[in-house]
Structures are given as C-alpha cells and as structure tokens.
Amino acid sequence: MSQYAKHRVVVTGGGIVSPLGCEWQTILGKLKAKKNCIVHMDEWDRYTTMNTRLACPVTMELPKFPRKKVRGMGRVAQLALVACEQALTEAGLKQDDGQVIQELHNGRCGISFGSSMGSLAAIMDFYKMLVDGDASKISATTYISSMPQTCAANLEVYYGLTGRLITTNTACTSGSQAIGYAYETIASGKQDIMIAGGAEELSPADAAVFDTLFATSVKNDTPELTPRPFDKDRDGLVIGEGSGVLILEDYEHAVKRGAKIYAEIAGFGTNVDGTHITNPNAATMSVAMQLAIEDAEITADDIGYVNAHATSTKAGDIAETNATYSVFKRAVPVSTVKSYIGHTLGACGAIEAWLSICMMNEGWFSPNINLEQVDPECAPLDYITGDGRALQVEYCMSNNFAFGGINTSLIFKKARS
C-alpha cells in the first residue's frame, strides 16, 4: 500500500502561458490544426558560431501588474505569475476583488516551483559589472530577478503564502518534479493546497547550450518541419518558452469547499541515473515510470496514454521509447506537444501535465506532427499521428527527463463526474 494512501491529491485548477495560447479551447483548436509555432529568429543571426536560428517564443503581451508587486520579477517570474493567476481563478481560490481567499494565508497552502535559471537580463547586469566594472545596472532587485528560485520566492510574496516552499531548479524536470513534490507534501498531510509548476523565458543562451552538443535543429529555412519527435529524419530540439501551474489540493479539502476536480494525481516516481550528466539512461528512466505505477497501485495495463518528453534528439527519443516499451510491453499510445511548441525546459513538465489532463477530459489526444517515418531504433509504440486520437482513458502518464540524469513520471486519474 502507498505510504501516502491516507490523503488523496486532486487537481482543482490549472493555467499555462504557451506559444499555443493560454485557454484550453484555443489551444485545442490549434492542436487540431496540426501546425507548429516554431519561428526563425532573425535577431539570432548575430551569434555567428551558433548553428540554430529556431525558437518558439510566447508572442502574447503579458498583462500589466502593479509595479511595486512585480519589481523583483524578470520575464520568467512574470510568465509564472500569469499562469498562476489563471490556475487560482480556475480553482475558485480568488475573490471577486481579485485577491486570493484568506485561507491561502493560514500556513496550509504552499508553493512548489522551478525553472532552469532566473532571468538572463538580470544575470547580464552582473556580468557587465564583473567584466566592464560598471555597476550602474545593479539594483536592490537584480539578484531577486536572477536567482534560480525567483519564481517560487516571488509568487509566495505576491500571494502572501505562509506554508511550505519547494524550489525545483532541475532543468527539464523542474515543472514535473515541482508537481510531484507538491503531491507528496499534500499526500503526507503537511499541506492542504499547493501551487505547483514551472516556467522558462526564451534565451539564446539556452539554445547555445544544446547547440554545442549538436542537439538543436538546424532546419532554419523550414521551421514548420521541425521538431520531428521519433522521426528518422529528426535533427534536434527547438527551444521554447512558457509557464504552467497546477493547483493541487487534498481531496477532502476540495470536496468540502465544493471545488471542481479536474483529475487526481494517482502516482509519482522520480530518480537519477548516477551515470552521466547529459546522456539518457533507459534503465533508470523505466524505473521512474515503474515507481509511479507502484505509487498509484495500478498496473501498466491500466494506463491508456503516455505524454512523452520526446525532445527530438537522436539519443533521447531512442532511450525514452525503449524505456517506455520495457515498462508497458505493448504499443501504448504516445504523443508529445513539443512537436508544436518546442522544448520549454523548466516549464515543459507543468505545461505537458496540464495539457495531458485537458486532453484526457476531452477524450482526444494530439498527434505527433512532423512524424512521417518512425526511427527504426525507437521502440514499437503506438505513435499517434494524423488527426489525433479519440480515446477514453482512466489513467494517463506524463514523463520528463533532464540533464543531470533526473527522471520523473506522473500519473493522472480521470475525475469521476
């Protein structure tokens, strides 16, 4: 029996900021249109030794917030704030005057949030001081904007939270690990409500990290044809940006206040490879999935869909699909939204978790676009293509894997109507 069986954990709200949009019906329409949001970044031409020119920015103008309340927020924290506003509203945790309900201040509501890093603009101000000797850009909030925990710290102050704070700055698993640790916090009875998620702002520095590893797509003249998850002609990932937030709540607490329940978190598994910082390890990936299945007290046969990490890198897709097949031992339906919005790094786990829940409730799962011929080195899974797939599933799984050999697997159970 799960050590967290005493407290069921449900999702009572969610919000995202993404290149596909923010609202589910808008996003659903774009997913069904089967067109990605990747663009050629003309301003990156100045980085002459970087091969890729592709990215997936959020093009919407962010709402204006009171300057006094956001002066320590760079773009990454403001992306997080916009998604958080949506999620709290969705969960019924905001009053008519726009303020959060008083219960969020009682010490039983916490936050679990991550990103790969803080805002690059603030980091560059420190760089300018150290290299040029010019400290004129350094202010009382420069560090607050640049620190890795900038999202979690700024949000807890913005909303006046007094519960637990967990920061998960674990690259591509920042969002999923934040959700998993928030789930465990509520399941163990330490909190009633947790705000959980991840965010990332677009940066050419992020693209350069993967470019040096020859892991970025260089289809610079045909952005509509990349990334190509699982495809034999895939040539790498495309960096994106965005944010995702889930409101997690103790089941009894949610029922008592009459909250709408979107899904239940049934299981979570996480581990590390212990072998290499950047090379994926199929064996430990599969262990993370199995840990989540055991935590959910179900079998792999109960899961009807897997949202894959699927970065479109050569080694990553092969390792992940083989790990998945070793757990399911069947052609489980699989797809990824990264083919639409690229790799949003610290945000992807939260964005993909919320979209997995929305698709599960919709009874339709998006296709892998740009997948024309599956790489024969990828495992024989049921790669969703065409117009997507109408599926009624009780459980779905969302997986993410990160530099440092960090693996996460989340299992969501469909809420009973």
Side-chain angles (χ1 to χ4, degrees), residues 119-179:
S119 283
L120 188 64
I123 295 171
M124 287 301 296
D125 288 338
F126 283 120
Y127 173 87
K128 187 173 179 62
M129 183 195 78
L130 294 172
V131 174
D132 300 335
D134 178 9
S136 62
K137 297 290 186 181
I138 306 300
S139 72
T141 59
T142 306
Y143 175 66
I144 305 303
S145 297
S146 67
M147 63 187 186
Q149 71 273 30
T150 185
C151 295
N154 272 296
L155 290 175
E156 58 94 353
V157 170
Y158 188 92
Y159 292 113
L161 308 180
T162 57
R164 291 196 169 196
L165 184 147
I166 302 167
T167 182
T168 55
N169 310 112
T170 54
C172 314
T173 55
S174 297
S176 54
Q177 204 164 57
I179 293 168

Side-chain angles (χ1 to χ4, degrees), residues 167-364:
T167 182
T168 55
N169 310 112
T170 54
C172 314
T173 55
S174 297
S176 54
Q177 204 164 57
I179 293 168
Y181 289 161
Y183 152 75
E184 291 181 339
T185 301
I186 296 173
S188 60
K190 299 293 192 288
Q191 300 277 256
D192 295 325
I193 302 171
M194 288 290 288
I195 297 168
E200 205 74 58
E201 64 180 56
L202 187 64
S203 162
D206 288 330
V209 169
F210 293 94
D211 204 70
T212 60
L213 298 172
F214 303 102
T216 52
S217 176
V218 292
K219 297 182 186 295
N220 296 324
D221 297 328
T222 54
E224 71 279 3
L225 299 181
T226 195
R228 306 175 69 86
F230 315 119
D231 191 87
K232 72 177 184 63
D233 293 326
R234 69 193 182 282
D235 72 330
L237 57 79
V238 176
I239 295 296
E241 70 173 343
S243 59
V245 174
L246 299 187
I247 305 301
L248 307 189
E249 196 164 345
D250 177 88
Y251 172 75
E252 299 293 342
H253 186 274
V255 169
K256 185 176 180 180
R257 71 178 186 88
K260 179 178 179 179
I261 295 173
Y262 291 88
E264 182 173 349
I265 298 189
F268 170 59
T270 186
N271 64 357
V272 291
D273 294 343
T275 53
H276 197 278
I277 291 292
T278 57
N279 288 345
N281 185 322
T284 41
M285 286 177 170
S286 65
V287 170
M289 296 180 218
Q290 193 59 49
L291 287 170
I293 291 168
E294 292 171 2
D295 187 43
E297 299 181 1
I298 60 174
T299 70
D301 289 339
D302 294 314
I303 296 170
Y305 167 80
V306 174
N307 187 279
H309 188 58
T311 59
S312 296
T313 56
K314 179 70 174 177
D317 286 6
I318 293 170
E320 178 179 3
T321 59
N322 281 283
T324 303
Y325 189 79
S326 73
V327 171
F328 286 86
K329 297 178 174 58
R330 62 183 169 94
V332 63
V334 171
S335 69
T336 176
V337 296
K338 285 189 179 72
S339 55
Y340 291 83
I341 61 174
H343 192 349
T344 55
L345 303 178
C348 73
I351 289 174
E352 291 162 13
W354 179 237
L355 291 184
S356 293
I357 291 169
C358 290
M359 289 190 288
M360 179 169 63
N361 290 335
E362 188 74 27
W364 178 88

